[in-house]
Every structure is written in structure tokens, then in C-alpha cells.
Amino acid sequence: MNHRGDAMSDKEEGPVPLLAARSLVKAYGRTPALRGASVALGAGEILAVTGASGSGKSTLLHLLSGIARPDEGAVTYDGQRLDRLPERRLTELRRTDFGVVFQFGQLIPELTAVDNVGLPLLLAGASRATARERAGEWLERFGVRGQEGLRPGELSGGQAQRVALARALVTGPRVVFADEPTGALDSLAGEQVMTALVHTAREAGTAVLLITHDAQVAAYADREVRLGDGLVLPAGVAA
Ligand SMILES: Nc1ncnc2c1ncn2[C@@H]1O[C@H](COP(=O)(O)OP(=O)(O)OP(=O)(O)O)[C@@H](O)[C@H]1O
Ligand SMILES: [Mg+2]
């Protein structure tokens, strides 16, 4: 039972979430992307976000991960207002606490797969040798061990997606945001990637916000929220 009067839990069940979005509104010019969406993610929870194309899923990820700021509403992470942090602190926090897999091209074209994965470690102060070694282990976990020396332009879409996932996880973040991480994979490779992602998240207590169109992928999550037209749909409503 919740105690009444707890500022963060008036409508929430259970403990205060690690990451919460309240009534987010975001428009791009005259196009509304989010129209008052609220979502909460608990520590170690795997949450799937589904919904039709254009419903606001990627926008939600950008706001929750501090990549963009909402026009209205609040994003709270670990007890602080993420949407109000100065840019410099936000960048630092993203580097230490978050791992992000974007929906579209994000690997650095000039770097090989292993150096793309090792980059966040180098930025955190690891030596080149340590970064390479740990990056290699992560590539192995995601089934792209033979491709360390290839540049993104030489990888298949599915291989690039797995390299991006390895890069998001390599620093041991508290929250991983993954936008369609299996979108370019066939169902077997998709299962392998999801198994590796879920296993890693469970082992390390990582919270995961997983955007997907695929019901089989969403089934790996603890819980699912569906967006429709910039709003979270009530459970049981068809998208
Ligand atoms: N940078 C942008 N500039 C202009 N409009 C944008 C931008 N990003 C998103 N939008 C618009 O905001 C709405 C929500 O887009 P968003 O990318 O969040 O949808 P999505 O649910 O991720 O879709 P998809 O499943 O196709 O990836 C869409 O109408 C889209 O056209
Ligand atoms: Mg999207």
C-alpha cells in the first residue's frame, strides 16, 4: 500500500520509478509528436513501447534520454528533473548512466566495429587496449565477433544494429534506450539479440526502454505501453 501524500507516487503503484515522463508535449513546427504522454520505468524493468508509425515512440525516447527537451511536461530521472539540467550536466549524465541505440544510422563511419563499441570506454578514461578487449567481448555476446575490423559501411544492417547495441551496453549503463533494435534482423537473429539484451539487463539490473513494432520482441519485456497519436493508450484499446 502506498502512503498518501508521497509527492511522487500519487498515481503510481509501487515504488518511485527510476525514470518518469509526466504529460509530455512535443511538437516539431506544427506537427504534434507527443500530446501529453506519461510513462514510468522502474529500476531493472524492461518496458516495451509499441504503437503505429508516427505515434511518437522515437520522440518519447529522445525526451526520456535527454537528447531533446519537451515543450511541456516533466522528465524525472533518479529524483532530479532531467529536462531542466544544463546541457553540460545532461551530456555527462548521458555518458555515465544511459546507453542509447538509435533507430537510424549512428555508428561513426570512420571507425571499425570494435572501435565504435570501445569509444564510450575511451571517453570514460579506459586505455585503448582495455577498450578493445571489452568491446571484443561485447561483439561476441551479440554474435558479431568476426566483424571487429570492419567499418559501418562494410557491415550489413543487422550487424550494424548489433554493434550499436554492444556500444550502448559496454559502459554498464543504468538505463538502455533501444529504438527498434531488431528492426533490421531476421527472426532468428532478432531472438538472439533479444536474448542477449534481456540476459545482460537482468544480470546487471539495467532498466530497458525498448521500442518495437514486433509483438514477439515486445513479449520479452516485463510490461508494454502503447502509444497512439502522441498519447499513451489505455490498456485494452486497439492501436
Ligand atoms: N525532427 C522532426 N522534424 C519534424 N517532424 C518530426 C521530427 N521527428 C518526428 N517528427 C514527427 O513527429 C511525429 C512522431 O514521430 P516519431 O518519430 O516520434 O514517431 P515513431 O512512433 O517513432 O514512428 P516510427 O515507428 O515510424 O519510427 C511524426 O508525425 C513525425 O513526422
Ligand atoms: Mg521511430
Side-chain angles (χ1 to χ4, degrees):
M1 283 275 150
N2 282 335
H3 291 287
R4 290 232 152 241
D6 181 339
M8 286 296 293
S9 57
D10 54 346
K11 280 204 107 178
E12 233 76 51
E13 286 171 27
V16 173
L18 178 63
L19 181 65
R22 298 204 165 248
S23 309
L24 293 184
V25 173
K26 179 78 176 175
Y28 295 99
R30 292 173 64 189
T31 308
L34 290 175
R35 301 187 301 130
S38 298
V39 172
L41 181 67
E45 184 180 29
I46 302 179
L47 176 68
V49 176
T50 58
S53 181
S55 59
K57 304 181 298 295
S58 294
T59 304
L60 180 67
L61 181 149
H62 296 151
L63 299 185
L64 281 171
S65 59
I67 289 161
R69 295 184 199 255
D71 299 334
E72 288 172 39
V75 179
T76 309
Y77 171 68
D78 204 14
Q80 58 189 331
R81 280 290 292 269
L82 195 76
D83 56 301
R84 289 185 179 158
L85 282 184
E87 203 56 47
R88 196 176 43 81
R89 287 198 41 215
L90 205 48
T91 305
E92 176 65 24
L93 184 76
R94 283 209 307 266
R95 195 172 281 170
T96 54
D97 286 36
F98 295 168
V100 184
V101 183
F102 294 100
Q103 187 171 11
F104 301 111
Q106 57 199 323
L107 296 173
I108 297 172
E110 294 80 16
L111 296 183
T112 61
V114 75
D115 286 339
N116 261 288
V117 176
L119 185 63
L121 295 172
L122 287 181
L123 292 173
S127 71
R128 189 163 288 273
T130 304
R132 284 231 165 118
E133 188 184 327
R134 298 232 348 245
E137 290 163 11
W138 279 94
L139 288 173
E140 175 140 36
R141 223 182 245 233
F142 284 104
V144 276
R145 182 72 199 195
Q147 279 85 36
E148 294 98 327
L150 300 182
R151 293 191 166 73
E154 301 162 326
L155 297 169
S156 73
Q159 287 165 347
Q161 224 162 23
R162 285 180 271 180
V163 171
L165 208 47
R167 187 177 63 177
L169 286 158
V170 74
T171 54
R174 282 180 86 189
V175 187
V176 168
F177 301 89
D179 200 344
E180 300 281 3
T182 60
L185 302 175
D186 60 42
S187 62
L188 180 62
E191 268 177 47
Q192 285 168 350
V193 164
M194 284 311 301
T195 305
L197 175 61
V198 168
H199 178 75
T200 306
R202 297 286 185 226
E203 205 177 49
T206 314
V208 181
L209 187 108
L210 170 70
I211 295 179
T212 183
H213 276 100
D214 185 339
Q216 272 178 301
V217 172
Y220 283 90
D222 300 316
R223 197 159 60 84
E224 177 178 342
V225 298
R226 280 184 308 139
L227 290 186
D229 228 359
L231 289 168
V232 174
L233 298 175
V237 172

